[in-house]
Amino acid sequence: MIDKTVATVTAAVADVSDGMTLMFGGFGLCGIPENAIQELVRLNPKNLCCISNNAGVDDFGLGLLLQQKQVKKMISSYVGENAEFERQMLSGELEVELTPQGTLAEKCRAAQAGIPAFFTPAGYGTEVAEGKETRIFNGKPHVMETAFQADFAFVKAWKGDVAGNLIFKGTARNFNPLMCGAAKITVVEVEELLPAGALDPNQIHIPGILVDRIFQGVNFEKRIEQRTVQN
Amino acid sequence: MIDKTVATVTAAVADVSDGMTLMFGGFGLCGIPENAIQELVRLNPKNLCCISNNAGVDDFGLGLLLQQKQVKKMISSYVGENAEFERQMLSGELEVELTPQGTLAEKCRAAQAGIPAFFTPAGYGTEVAEGKETRIFNGKPHVMETAFQADFAFVKAWKGDVAGNLIFKGTARNFNPLMCGAAKITVVEVEELLPAGALDPNQIHIPGILVDRIFQGVNFEKRIEQRTVQN
Amino acid sequence: MALDKNGIAQRIAQEIQDGFYVNLGIGIPTLVANYIPENIAVEFQSENGILGMGPFPVAGQEDADLINAGKQTITSLPGASFFDSAMSFGMIRGKHVDLTILGAMEVSEKGDIANWKIPGKMVKGMGGAMDLVASAENIIVAMMHTNRQGDSKLLPKCSLPLTGVACVKKIVTELAVLEIQPEGFLLCERAPGVSVAQIKAATAGKLIIPEEVPEMRV
Amino acid sequence: MALDKNGIAQRIAQEIQDGFYVNLGIGIPTLVANYIPENIAVEFQSENGILGMGPFPVAGQEDADLINAGKQTITSLPGASFFDSAMSFGMIRGKHVDLTILGAMEVSEKGDIANWKIPGKMVKGMGGAMDLVASAENIIVAMMHTNRQGDSKLLPKCSLPLTGVACVKKIVTELAVLEIQPEGFLLCERAPGVSVAQIKAATAGKLIIPEEVPEMRV
């Protein structure tokens, strides 16, 4: 068994530097790597390109990196749940590349799986397809999209073992599994870090081979963005 | 909850007809849809194109369809563990399209996921790439491969619920999950059919939306091809 | 009388058949879930990774790890499953989802849809809408017939940046049910008490008016 | 004296580093697992869907649902995982597997490999070999230096249909360890008691012979 544990988030994130491309799991604030984000705020690398479905809110998630103006470019499908993001975007400080959500997911999965490019119908005939190759398959036009290339992937899982095997919970799964192994280095924080053999090998969502560093996360806030209940 | 159960294998397979393209899960004899294969022998459709990583042995698995000369074409990565296969292939009765195993898997997954084509490095510079488009990505040549198009997918799972949610066991998983939803109709046999809600939604390998028909399999032989033990 | 948002949702619910997997967008489409007949089996997919989505939780039972694509807390029903975003959009692109219901800013008589961007305004992004409209075989748009300025949203050609091309099949507004046909918007039903003339006046694109235009039953 | 198959496996085992994920082909490569030093952590991947493969089971403990790519019954070790074939080849194509060890019929001085087809004979197929050789950054070929007819398997150009192009990095035979260099086969080590002349005689492709060719330590 190959041990992937690192003792602290500081050790896990220490080699992130200016100008890197970083992937972040999560949908809205659900399943985001809270510990890594906090540490990136402390470490304060600048000119980052962040690949994340969303951009957090003003005072949580990737909004924290935006507040410190660490982000040069966001690649997302849906943004602007926060005022600072909007300000930076409209002022031109922040570059935003909007990508259809399914294409975003598939570009992560392609990077993980060594598929350099694929065709999808999403975005054909829209500005998303501008400058991209298009082709008809089975009578229907498709757009060619390419795999992401990133330096780090920051992932949050529910349970993990020291071998890096991961299990996600509920809809906190989202983009997290797809970013494992999709960047040069994959850093995972878990709610519960277990010894090897503690997880049923049939139930593992992501095998440890796709994980480079795993650590026990602390103080997860798991903030709810839209608390909605029955009448 | 949408109920996907059918009472018998006969009902599940009845509309397979001559000349259809059929997918079969399994690796060697591990995880093959034994019940569906038996029923296809009984039903006896001819001129089938079969997509399966392997072609069974003389008296088990897809070898049973070969014996009855039901198969016109095999699309596989590794064949010829049986004498009848070899005889039909060498005599020209049986057409064989050999595909790299990873490409075979990805062509199934592409069909499932609505990706009509993708690029892979596998087979570049070999006869597998003949007549196919090639392209360089990141300095490395790749071959364009397209999604499979099939009429039926026959899948074997370990546990399933009436909503069609599936869990596979050990290495009997292999191609089975990838073929779910990759054909027009997906037929699944399970060792244990459970009520909806009996499976943990976090542990489901394949959601029921990718399954059209599910039934309780019977008399699984689960033959071992190469019984190997420690000295 | 023109329908309200709940009326639109109620009419759309009639399009849902037994055994359908349905993806509901934000806004009016979300309300459709309230009008599914008891005697049919329907499962709701939310593209952030759940099939078998249930109602909102009772107070105190909210789970931060269980939300819908609108980021609202939800519940799951027996037979539900969770999955990653690649699997989720695999379901969508692979045409496994039977029906997509979503809102729009504009629809053209060719079935083009614009619902994600207004030039000059803050753009929040398309989320999963481009994947949904490009892939679904069955797309119903739920929207008001005209915008706040009173201009028709059913146009010869969309003026806003497109979300998808030639993809919308049906439109339900407060005034009418319309289908996209090669020749234009086919007027299928009128809202109760709404006249064909009213609908014609509110439709900028080519409207095909059959001899008989029945009233909706809602 | 030339090595036997176990000797080749033993020499290859020295190439495996702590923390490596390794895919072993059928034949000599399978034997490599027997020679991994105790003090390093290595995990074996089998492309049919397991990481953390263990030894063969004890008699009576065979599980039909747990086999390797050679269809042999196996066991799993603590920390193992099972996955589908798309994930498995994702690991391979995505360069997550650190080392691939496989057999060959022929290797060219450019690193081309042929190991799946002999024209005119029954062709069983390439299995996962084309994916493995096209993707692995680190490929070691384990084979005999010559075939049964005594002809060299290290050639200027492969005569058999290729499995992959310019992909082999290292070759270990019963006679030598060789690396593929832009100029040809670099002779790195000789088997104990084997002379450079013997190796030269058995190598049809261009052989680069350094001044000093150390003996293998096995």
Side-chain angles (χ1 to χ4, degrees):
Chain A
M1 191 274 306
I2 301 170
D3 192 320
K4 298 294 177 71
T5 52
V6 291
T8 63
V9 63
T10 307
V13 178
D15 44 352
V16 174
S17 58
D18 289 0
M20 279 187 169
T21 297
L22 313 181
M23 299 178 138
F24 295 89
F27 183 97
L29 301 179
C30 181
I32 60 172
E34 297 184 19
N35 285 255
I37 292 171
Q38 287 281 1
E39 180 62 18
L40 286 168
V41 168
R42 205 190 60 76
L43 194 67
N44 202 18
K46 300 286 191 187
N47 288 316
L48 301 173
C49 172
C50 295
I51 301 168
S52 169
N53 188 58
N54 313 90
V57 294
D58 272 324
D59 62 341
F60 200 59
L62 292 188
L64 300 173
L65 301 186
L66 287 160
Q67 271 185 9
Q68 284 202 150
K69 300 187 182 169
Q70 295 177 252
V71 185
K72 188 183 170 194
K73 180 177 179 179
M74 280 294 314
I75 301 177
S76 303
S77 87
Y78 194 82
V79 294
E81 303 280 16
N82 67 66
E84 177 61 17
F85 185 98
E86 191 164 343
R87 197 198 60 71
Q88 290 184 23
M89 183 173 160
L90 293 175
S91 73
E93 290 166 64
L94 179 66
E95 185 187 347
V96 179
E97 183 177 317
L98 291 167
T99 302
Q101 197 176 136
T103 300
L104 190 80
E106 196 66 12
K107 282 165 73 81
C108 294
R109 192 264 173 188
Q112 176 189 73
I115 299 288
F118 59 91
F119 287 90
T120 173
Y124 176 79
T126 77
E127 59 183 59
V128 161
E130 281 170 21
K132 291 176 186 161
E133 180 175 334
T134 60
R135 193 183 300 205
I136 291 172
F137 291 97
N138 311 315
K140 186 170 171 168
H142 291 76
V143 183
M144 194 177 85
E145 297 279 0
T146 56
F148 280 127
Q149 302 196 325
D151 297 295
F152 277 83
F154 296 104
V155 165
K156 151 74 169 45
W158 180 34
K159 295 178 183 178
D161 70 14
V162 297
N165 295 305
L166 306 179
I167 294 179
F168 302 88
K169 180 162 165 273
T171 57
R173 195 182 314 185
N174 55 64
F175 289 82
N176 280 299
L178 310 173
M179 290 177 173
C180 293
K184 286 182 200 136
I185 297 174
T186 299
V187 174
V188 182
E189 56 195 79
V190 291
E191 291 186 53
E192 199 178 348
L193 185 60
L194 298 160
L199 301 175
D200 179 342
N202 281 307
Q203 291 175 11
I204 289 165
H205 294 139
I206 285 293
I209 192 173
L210 300 179
V211 171
D212 297 292
R213 303 171 190 170
I214 189 169
F215 66 94
Q216 170 69 57
V218 293
N219 301 326
F220 285 105
E221 178 180 337
K222 298 176 74 166
R223 192 185 293 187
I224 292 175
E225 210 165 338
Q226 303 281 347
R227 189 176 301 271
T228 316
V229 296
Q230 287 180 30
N231 295 330
Chain B
M1 190 274 304
I2 301 170
D3 192 320
K4 298 295 177 72
T5 52
V6 291
T8 63
V9 63
T10 307
V13 178
D15 44 352
V16 174
S17 58
D18 290 0
M20 280 187 168
T21 297
L22 313 181
M23 298 178 139
F24 294 89
F27 182 97
L29 302 179
C30 182
I32 60 172
E34 296 183 20
N35 284 256
I37 292 171
Q38 288 279 0
E39 180 63 18
L40 286 168
V41 167
R42 206 190 59 75
L43 194 66
N44 203 19
K46 301 285 190 186
N47 288 316
L48 300 173
C49 172
C50 295
I51 300 169
S52 168
N53 189 58
N54 313 89
V57 295
D58 272 323
D59 63 341
F60 201 59
L62 292 188
L64 300 173
L65 301 187
L66 288 160
Q67 271 183 10
Q68 285 202 149
K69 300 188 181 166
Q70 295 177 251
V71 185
K72 188 184 169 192
K73 181 176 179 180
M74 281 294 315
I75 301 177
S76 303
S77 87
Y78 194 82
V79 293
E81 304 279 17
N82 67 66
E84 177 61 18
F85 185 98
E86 190 162 344
R87 196 199 60 70
Q88 290 185 23
M89 181 173 162
L90 292 175
S91 74
E93 290 165 66
L94 178 66
E95 187 188 344
V96 180
E97 183 178 317
L98 292 167
T99 302
Q101 196 176 139
T103 300
L104 189 80
E106 196 66 12
K107 283 165 72 82
C108 294
R109 192 265 172 188
Q112 176 189 74
I115 299 289
F118 59 90
F119 286 90
T120 173
Y124 175 80
T126 77
E127 59 184 60
V128 161
E130 280 170 21
K132 291 177 186 161
E133 179 175 333
T134 60
R135 193 184 299 205
I136 291 172
F137 292 97
N138 311 315
K140 186 170 170 168
H142 290 76
V143 182
M144 194 177 86
E145 297 280 358
T146 55
F148 280 127
Q149 302 196 325
D151 296 293
F152 276 83
F154 295 104
V155 165
K156 151 74 169 44
W158 180 33
K159 295 179 184 177
D161 70 15
V162 297
N165 296 305
L166 306 179
I167 294 179
F168 303 88
K169 180 161 166 272
T171 57
R173 194 180 317 184
N174 55 64
F175 290 83
N176 280 298
L178 310 172
M179 291 176 172
C180 294
K184 285 181 201 138
I185 297 174
T186 299
V187 175
V188 181
E189 56 195 78
V190 292
E191 290 186 54
E192 199 178 348
L193 184 60
L194 298 160
L199 301 174
D200 179 342
N202 281 307
Q203 291 175 12
I204 288 165
H205 294 139
I206 286 292
I209 192 173
L210 300 179
V211 170
D212 297 290
R213 303 171 189 171
I214 189 168
F215 65 94
Q216 171 70 57
V218 293
N219 301 325
F220 285 105
E221 179 180 337
K222 298 176 74 167
R223 191 185 293 185
I224 292 177
E225 210 164 338
Q226 302 282 347
R227 189 176 300 273
T228 316
V229 297
Q230 287 179 31
N231 294 330
Chain C
M1 202 188 73
L3 303 176
D4 63 5
K5 288 183 177 184
N6 280 300
I8 295 173
Q10 204 178 339
R11 175 60 192 83
I12 290 174
Q14 295 169 15
E15 301 291 316
I16 297 178
Q17 296 170 29
D18 190 32
F20 263 23
Y21 296 97
V22 181
N23 182 292
L24 300 178
I26 295 167
I28 301 175
T30 305
L31 301 173
V32 173
N34 299 332
Y35 299 99
I36 307 297
E38 292 268 320
N39 61 338
I40 67 170
V42 172
E43 284 187 39
F44 293 106
Q45 195 244 23
S46 192
E47 65 266 27
N48 57 316
I50 176 174
L51 194 71
M53 186 165 47
F56 297 129
V58 295
Q61 299 291 307
E62 308 93 323
D63 180 352
D65 293 328
L66 189 43
I67 63 169
N68 65 16
K71 286 137 193 165
Q72 297 169 308
T73 43
I74 52 161
T75 56
S76 65
L77 296 174
S81 55
F82 303 122
F83 36 82
D84 65 47
S85 303
M87 172 60 91
S88 185
F89 282 91
M91 290 175 191
I92 290 165
R93 269 192 319 264
K95 302 185 189 303
H96 306 293
V97 174
D98 298 291
L99 176 61
T100 289
I101 304 170
L102 77 176
M105 298 169 184
E106 296 177 350
V107 177
S108 84
E109 62 192 36
K110 300 289 183 208
D112 300 346
I113 178 172
N115 73 349
W116 75 285
K117 184 174 182 175
I118 300 175
K121 288 207 179 174
M122 169 67 192
V123 178
K124 294 200 169 186
M126 69 293 282
M130 283 192 183
D131 307 274
L132 283 159
V133 301
S135 305
E137 306 232 283
N138 198 355
I139 300 175
I140 301 179
V141 166
M143 66 174 189
M144 303 309 281
H145 217 99
T146 51
N147 65 19
R148 284 177 198 164
Q149 290 75 46
D151 300 326
S152 178
K153 296 169 73 174
L154 289 86
L155 304 171
K157 200 166 176 294
C158 292
S159 66
L160 296 171
L162 294 184
T163 309
V165 174
C167 52
V168 174
K169 299 285 181 288
K170 191 171 274 196
I171 305 156
V172 180
T173 73
E174 81 282 17
L175 302 180
V177 177
L178 308 104
E179 271 178 30
I180 303 289
Q181 295 285 341
E183 314 80 41
F185 298 107
L186 174 67
L187 179 56
C188 301
E189 297 175 27
R190 317 171 270 122
V194 170
S195 71
V196 169
Q198 272 178 281
I199 297 163
K200 201 173 171 183
T203 306
K206 180 157 187 211
L207 189 68
I208 307 159
I209 305 167
E211 281 191 29
E212 195 85 26
V213 182
E215 264 193 12
M216 292 182 209
R217 297 189 190 191
V218 280
Chain D
M1 204 187 68
L3 302 177
D4 62 6
K5 288 182 177 185
N6 280 300
I8 296 173
Q10 203 177 339
R11 175 60 191 82
I12 291 175
Q14 295 169 15
E15 302 290 316
I16 296 178
Q17 296 170 29
D18 190 31
F20 264 23
Y21 295 96
V22 182
N23 182 291
L24 300 178
I26 294 167
I28 301 174
T30 305
L31 302 172
V32 173
N34 299 330
Y35 298 100
I36 307 299
E38 294 268 321
N39 61 337
I40 66 170
V42 173
E43 282 188 40
F44 292 106
Q45 194 243 25
S46 193
E47 65 267 26
N48 58 314
I50 176 174
L51 194 71
M53 185 166 46
F56 297 129
V58 295
Q61 298 291 308
E62 308 92 322
D63 179 352
D65 292 328
L66 189 43
I67 65 169
N68 64 16
K71 286 137 192 164
Q72 297 168 308
T73 43
I74 53 161
T75 57
S76 65
L77 297 173
S81 55
F82 302 123
F83 37 83
D84 65 48
S85 302
M87 171 59 91
S88 184
F89 282 91
M91 291 176 190
I92 289 166
R93 270 193 319 266
K95 301 185 189 302
H96 306 292
V97 173
D98 299 290
L99 176 62
T100 288
I101 304 169
L102 77 175
M105 297 169 183
E106 295 178 350
V107 177
S108 84
E109 63 192 36
K110 300 289 182 207
D112 299 346
I113 178 172
N115 73 349
W116 75 286
K117 184 173 182 177
I118 301 175
K121 287 206 181 176
M122 169 67 193
V123 178
K124 294 201 169 185
M126 68 293 282
M130 282 191 184
D131 307 273
L132 282 159
V133 302
S135 305
E137 307 233 280
N138 198 354
I139 299 175
I140 301 179
V141 166
M143 66 174 189
M144 304 307 283
H145 217 99
T146 52
N147 65 19
R148 284 177 198 166
Q149 289 76 46
D151 301 325
S152 179
K153 295 168 74 174
L154 290 86
L155 304 171
K157 201 166 176 297
C158 292
S159 66
L160 296 170
L162 295 185
T163 309
V165 174
C167 52
V168 174
K169 299 286 181 289
K170 192 171 273 197
I171 305 155
V172 180
T173 73
E174 80 282 18
L175 301 180
V177 177
L178 308 103
E179 272 178 29
I180 303 288
Q181 295 286 341
E183 313 81 41
F185 298 107
L186 174 67
L187 179 56
C188 301
E189 298 174 26
R190 315 170 272 122
V194 169
S195 70
V196 168
Q198 273 178 281
I199 296 163
K200 201 173 172 185
T203 306
K206 180 155 188 212
L207 188 68
I208 307 158
I209 305 166
E211 282 191 29
E212 196 82 28
V213 182
E215 264 193 14
M216 294 182 208
R217 296 187 189 193
V218 278

